[in-house]
Amino acid sequence: MIKTRYIFILLCTLGCLLGVAQNSNQSWKAGSFKIVEGNYETFKTTQYAHVFKGSKHNIVRLAPELEGLTGIKFPLENTESLKLKFKESVKILIGVFKEQDSNIKDLINAKLVLENGLTITGLSPVNVYAIPYSRGTHSINISGLFTILGVVKGNETLNFRNAEFPDGNLWNPTFIVEGFSDEKPLFDIIGGQNTPVVDEGMPGTEGIQGGFEGGRCVKVGDTYHMFPTERAGEVGVEAYYDRVKTRIGHWTSKDAIHWKRESTIYQASGTYAVTEDDNPMNDRRAAIWSYMPVFNKKANKWYGYYLAYTVSKTIDPNHSFGRIWRCESVVDGIEGIGGPYKDVGIIIEPGLNSEPWEGRQGVASFFPYNVGEDKWLGFYSGAYPFKTWDDYPKKTGKGWFVALAESNSLEGPWKRLDASINPIKSMHPFFVENPIVSQLPDGTYIAIFDGGPDGWGHHLPNMMAYSLSKDGLNWSEARYWPIETKVDKWWDIMRTPLCLIPEGNDVYTIVYAAIDLEKRFHPMGIVKVKLNRDVLAECVQKL
């Protein structure tokens, strides 16, 4: 009986301790304040919050204790005075960059409450200090680079802990998050599905072990046609093979939410290479990806552009020496979109005109778009670059680059533009993947693409992105869509958008592929965005 009582007391004590630990990680209660001197704006302290006026620095990691507080936005080099008025006793939470720690440690009553409490892109680790202030008006005098993350009630218990968030300098360069910068958002995220629209176990997913990746979705009449890369793999074979044994599927929907699988457009062999170089002994169609259907009005038929890889079993990355194939629909007219398709030939591939930045993956995607009468440009890409050709075929670096080719017709021949243009680094200096181009109502070109993962050892935005161009040749710096602010985040790693389909009233549909790390199967999602034409006019003036 006594033993049972001791166990009961121990469990209660443990439960109380766990409760304290859990409560310590909950949001601290905000205190009220008023800015009475200084031309400052406020921000909500949350992920992606833009903390410095005139900069691109954003919060990408944040302790839950700080979530939802109201911060004060300073210029990076702040010279203005700041006076705050409090109706009650409070504690101001100051985010101090580690090399500036000595400035705040000298202040009386400054208490460290969160070590490595948040991560801000492009800046050093941030420690959070609490400084008490009594009721009334106070001048806030702190030297050096810092940020005010919020004000909490004076009686709030602030338990110290090390949140262990990483150095913001790992996110280099900084990036612009739509709706979280000094610039007005071009698109408002207006909603979407809070769960995947095509997921494991749904009709049509039989035989697909690893889910989906990029491709294109188009709307013909009232029907959506989606051509994703199906990471088919094989039953009983490890997940890595899902990206080798691939196929291109054709799916249709009336609402972009409920999908029906119609057919297989192409099936890859899944055969591994026998040599490490780009050798015709290898199966150069071992993996097939990124099918892009484009309607050719002159030929009155659909053209398909897709990527075929050689696949290595021993070299990372396993996708090597990409080639872009063109095919044509057998059935004429817009209704021929579902195929069947016949191959015409390779339009661009590794060769004497390749540049070292194209790397081991070779030509890793392709998308053509019209820029005038009988004038076409096409985005093509490369990845895992060689520093020089002496590094071929094994010694690669990191980078996912895009460039432009040109042609007088969709049939080709396609010619790479020269090194004065390629690769295009104005969008992002080292990561743009699978761009798809369309035009906005005023004729401005827009490219949407995968902005890169915050995972697998990378520190990239982990969001879909867009870039604008007046002429299709010169492209603006990328803006990234934080769609999880309006849609429940069911993914860990965001991947590739398949479309930006106009639905009327300036609303657009985006179908996208993403990854839930707890699942082998990579699902598809959908989100809706709305274009702001006034902001578009302002953006175009700056291009």
Side-chain angles (χ1 to χ4, degrees), residues 104 137 182 303 485 533:
I104 200 162
T137 301
D182 291 334
Y303 286 6
T485 59
R533 294 203 186 204

Side-chain angles (χ1 to χ4, degrees), residues 121-318:
T121 54
L123 295 171
S124 59
V126 185
N127 289 335
V128 180
Y129 289 82
I131 305 176
Y133 287 87
S134 60
R135 177 181 175 180
T137 301
H138 297 268
S139 295
I140 311 301
N141 297 309
I142 303 171
S143 61
L145 183 64
F146 68 95
T147 178
I148 293 181
L149 298 166
V151 173
V152 298
K153 294 181 179 296
N155 61 359
E156 181 75 2
T157 301
L158 309 180
N159 295 311
F160 168 81
R161 72 184 182 95
N162 187 344
E164 300 182 341
F165 287 129
D167 187 340
N169 285 304
L170 295 172
W171 280 260
N172 188 24
T174 53
F175 48 88
I176 299 171
V177 182
E178 187 91 328
F180 291 89
S181 74
D182 291 334
E183 302 176 16
K184 298 174 185 176
L186 179 59
F187 292 92
D188 293 317
I189 300 158
I190 59 175
Q193 295 300 109
N194 293 320
T195 57
V197 294
V198 187
D199 204 351
E200 188 173 15
M202 291 182 178
T205 63
E206 302 86 359
I208 304 175
Q209 316 307 310
F212 304 96
E213 231 305 288
R216 193 184 187 197
C217 178
V218 298
K219 192 175 184 181
V220 178
D222 63 352
T223 302
Y224 299 86
H225 296 262
M226 179 171 68
F227 297 85
T229 303
E230 297 176 350
R231 305 170 70 253
E234 286 186 5
V235 176
V237 180
E238 62 183 11
Y240 198 65
Y241 194 57
D242 298 347
R243 50 188 280 120
V244 178
K245 189 73 172 288
T246 59
R247 66 190 187 202
I248 305 301
H250 174 215
W251 297 67
T252 60
S253 174
K254 294 295 184 180
D255 57 9
I257 298 171
H258 304 91
W259 291 90
K260 177 186 177 185
R261 191 177 191 280
E262 301 288 351
S263 65
T264 298
I265 302 297
Y266 282 102
Q267 171 72 62
S269 70
T271 304
Y272 284 106
V274 295
T275 72
E276 294 176 340
D277 59 345
D278 188 11
N279 193 310
M281 291 175 60
N282 301 320
D283 187 339
R284 289 173 167 172
R285 295 173 62 92
I288 291 177
W289 290 73
S290 301
Y291 187 86
M292 301 292 178
V294 177
F295 187 69
N296 186 338
K297 292 181 181 179
K298 284 188 174 181
N300 192 33
K301 62 178 60 182
W302 287 91
Y303 286 6
Y305 299 85
Y306 66 93
L307 165 64
Y309 280 123
T310 300
V311 178
S312 172
K313 199 169 188 176
T314 58
I315 298 177
D316 188 33
N318 66 339

Side-chain angles (χ1 to χ4, degrees), residues 456-475:
W456 303 322
H458 304 291
H459 294 284
L460 289 159
N462 205 31
M463 290 175 274
M464 296 179 285
Y466 73 86
S467 174
L468 301 177
S469 174
K470 275 185 176 180
D471 56 9
L473 181 66
N474 300 285
W475 290 89

Side-chain angles (χ1 to χ4, degrees), residues 482-504:
I483 68 172
E484 60 265 45
T485 59
K486 295 292 176 67
V487 175
D488 290 348
K489 187 180 179 185
W490 52 262
W491 64 91
D492 296 296
I493 296 177
M494 175 57 66
R495 289 310 315 270
T496 311
L498 278 72
C499 58
L500 185 70
I501 295 175
E503 306 289 11

Side-chain angles (χ1 to χ4, degrees), residues 28 30-46 49-53 57 59 62 65-76 78 80-86 90-97 104 107 113-114 118 120 123 126-133 138-152:
W28 290 327
S32 62
F33 68 91
K34 181 179 180 182
I35 300 172
V36 295
E37 185 177 302
N39 184 26
Y40 297 103
E41 301 174 5
T42 60
F43 64 87
K44 183 178 179 182
T45 306
T46 187
H50 178 228
V51 295
F52 293 112
K53 191 173 182 179
H57 302 287
I59 295 173
L62 181 72
E65 294 94 320
L66 303 171
E67 182 69 42
L69 297 177
T70 300
I72 299 175
K73 187 182 296 185
F74 296 98
L76 264 175
N78 184 44
E80 289 189 45
S81 60
L82 171 63
K83 279 189 178 180
L84 300 179
K85 184 176 182 180
F86 309 113
V90 299
K91 297 169 185 171
I92 297 183
L93 300 178
I94 310 291
V96 181
F97 300 90
I104 200 162
L107 294 176
V113 292
L114 283 171
L118 66 156
I120 298 177
L123 295 171
V126 185
N127 289 335
V128 180
Y129 289 82
I131 305 176
Y133 287 87
H138 297 268
S139 295
I140 311 301
N141 297 309
I142 303 171
S143 61
L145 183 64
F146 68 95
T147 178
I148 293 181
L149 298 166
V151 173
V152 298

